[in-house]
Amino acid sequence: MRKLFYVLFCSLMVIPNAFALDLSFDEAVDKIVAESNDIKKADANIKKAQAQLKSVNANRWMSIEGTATYMNLIDPKNPTSSKGVELPSEIGALLNKSLPLPLSEIPDNMFSAGVQVTQPIYTFGKIGNAVDAMHDAIDMSKSAKDLTTREVKYAAANLYWTAKMTDEIVAASQRNLDNARAAKKKLTAAGRANRSNLIKIESDIATKEINLSDAMFDRDTAYNMLKIMAGIDESEEVVLTDNFPDKFEELNAKELKSNPQWDIYQKQVKMYESNASSKRAGAYPTLAAVGSYSYYALGTDAGNMFDKEGAQSAYWGVALKVPLFSGGLHSANATIEAMNAEAAHQELEKSKKLTRHEYNTAVKKYKHLCEDLDKLNHAHDLAQKAYDVSANRFAAGQTSAIELSDVSGALYQMDMAVLSAKYNILMAGESVKKLGE
């Protein structure tokens, strides 16, 4: 019966963890990328640029406009009544061939409808350069999404390894506290608990309890932030399954020749140059094909306007629109776009210098920290041995609580140093991924 109770008790203790969400590093990054508002905004910017391309490209094709008008003439002396307009006989004779009614007067009800078609033939680059600029704008928005995705992945890695580091800090703080409590137990069990040693150990225990409490608070804060960004309910328990590696592979970092930020500036330069050409072409003629059809109906009242055959007219031809004077508007607008292109070019050159420096620094930092980690691990082993020796001496009454506290504090500091080095190595590697091709 006692064994059965023990089995049930152990099962109940395991149940809460059985419902925890296991989260690997890659899964966390994927979730954060999927939840990212910045990436969704970048997607919207791509669709916006594509719609703007359709808007500009529509200028290539014909435009068709239809109009329909109904008018009722009124007597200015008596606005509540309508009245036809009497025509001189000479004008009536001239219009007799086109109007469907006798021309002694224009009837007071008139209806007209028509369609006008315009098809650009040649615009000297106004439309073509504007379309090229929008193609560059779409490429810019795609590169911006790539850049945003890299930033989000880097932030996701930072969230994951920060949360994992808080786990390790809590564990190290707990070990440090357990060591202090064990020292107190040994001291009191030996029957030689002098007042100074007891005060020192009690002080250490109180301090380490505070450190553990702070570490647990930081852990909860880091986990909550990770859950928020990954779209996980804050009440759900999460277990981070990937641990800090003991050894790190060498980076296969090549010379940096491309970067999404550079692509953005390069496309921006091209876009502004195309816009400048388009604005400059505004001072050139526009050649277009035009066509029109019109229909007219007249009547003494609205009900009989269509009783007789109406008049029709149509034409087609070619129109040349030549801007004669604009006060330098087109030249000024072209200069503005050209200067925008120059500014973007300077930003590109600046970005290349700074990004290459940041990339090379991240590569060097990764290698440097890997070399330091070996030394830190060796120093940590020595700190652990020093603590073990001091703890044994303390248990034998050969040293004081002050020495034990100093050695214990040194071991805890080495725990933090090794953990910090591993975190920095991982983030240096993520920086190389973010900045690399």
Side-chain angles (χ1 to χ4, degrees), residues 389-405:
V389 170
S390 183
N392 291 332
R393 293 181 63 210
F394 181 79
Q398 298 175 353
T399 188
S400 67
I402 296 176
E403 178 187 328
L404 182 63
S405 175

Side-chain angles (χ1 to χ4, degrees), residues 50-304:
Q50 291 171 340
Q52 289 174 330
L53 172 62
K54 291 181 180 179
S55 174
V56 174
N57 207 32
N59 294 322
R60 291 180 182 270
W61 318 122
M62 69 175 64
S63 63
I64 303 176
E65 295 182 352
T67 59
T69 305
Y70 167 76
M71 292 186 295
N72 178 251
L73 301 181
I74 63 173
D75 185 355
K77 297 180 180 180
N78 185 13
T80 60
S81 63
S82 60
K83 178 182 179 182
V85 179
E86 297 183 358
L87 297 173
S89 59
E90 296 84 358
I91 298 177
L94 291 174
L95 299 176
N96 188 38
K97 296 182 180 180
S98 59
L99 292 177
L101 297 176
L103 296 178
S104 59
E105 66 175 12
I106 296 178
D108 59 349
N109 289 278
M110 294 176 288
F111 173 81
S112 65
V115 177
Q116 186 172 6
V117 180
T118 303
Q119 170 62 58
I121 297 175
Y122 192 68
T123 63
F124 292 89
K126 283 192 289 289
I127 298 177
N129 284 308
V131 170
D132 291 341
M134 289 314 306
H135 279 294
D136 293 327
I138 292 174
D139 291 337
M140 280 173 55
S141 60
K142 290 179 179 178
S143 296
K145 180 184 177 181
D146 184 15
L147 180 63
T148 301
T149 301
R150 293 186 182 206
E151 294 286 353
V152 170
K153 287 184 176 180
Y154 179 85
N158 187 30
L159 286 171
Y160 188 92
W161 293 121
T162 297
K164 191 65 181 180
M165 184 166 66
T166 60
D167 277 338
E168 298 293 334
I169 293 175
V170 168
S173 299
Q174 185 66 62
R175 287 195 304 269
N176 199 27
L177 176 59
D178 290 342
N179 289 337
R181 288 172 175 171
K184 177 184 176 182
K185 185 176 180 180
K186 291 178 181 179
L187 185 63
T188 55
R192 54 178 181 81
N194 63 64
R195 185 174 178 81
S196 61
N197 280 341
L198 276 176
I199 292 174
K200 178 58 179 175
I201 291 178
E202 290 289 353
S203 176
D204 281 351
I205 290 175
T207 301
K208 292 173 182 179
E209 285 176 342
I210 295 173
N211 291 340
L212 176 59
S213 177
D214 290 344
M216 294 175 70
F217 177 83
D218 292 340
R219 179 194 60 189
D220 294 341
T221 301
Y223 267 78
N224 285 337
M225 181 57 68
L226 176 61
K227 292 175 187 178
I228 291 171
M229 300 307 294
I232 301 171
D233 191 276
E234 290 187 49
S235 62
E236 187 169 359
E237 185 179 355
V238 172
V239 176
L240 304 184
T241 57
D242 284 338
N243 296 316
F244 285 98
D246 294 325
K247 294 184 179 180
F248 295 86
E249 298 179 356
E250 292 186 5
L251 285 178
N252 185 22
K254 301 178 181 179
E255 181 182 357
L256 185 60
K257 296 181 179 179
S258 177
N259 179 273
Q261 185 68 65
W262 302 354
D263 295 338
I264 292 174
Y265 286 131
Q266 287 169 349
K267 293 298 181 181
Q268 196 173 44
V269 170
K270 291 182 60 180
M271 181 189 73
Y272 284 134
E273 289 175 346
S274 296
N275 280 336
S277 298
S278 178
K279 299 293 184 182
R280 193 175 294 109
Y284 304 150
T286 296
L287 182 65
V290 295
S292 176
Y293 167 81
S294 300
Y295 170 83
Y296 306 92
L298 306 173
T300 55
D301 58 55
N304 67 7

Side-chain angles (χ1 to χ4, degrees), residues 298-336:
L298 306 173
T300 55
D301 58 55
N304 67 7
M305 279 193 304
F306 301 100
D307 290 347
K308 298 182 179 181
E309 183 179 356
Q312 301 182 66
S313 66
Y315 70 83
W316 69 269
V318 177
L320 183 65
K321 182 179 179 181
V322 182
L324 298 178
F325 181 72
S326 63
L329 174 66
H330 305 296
S331 176
N333 286 336
T335 301
I336 292 172

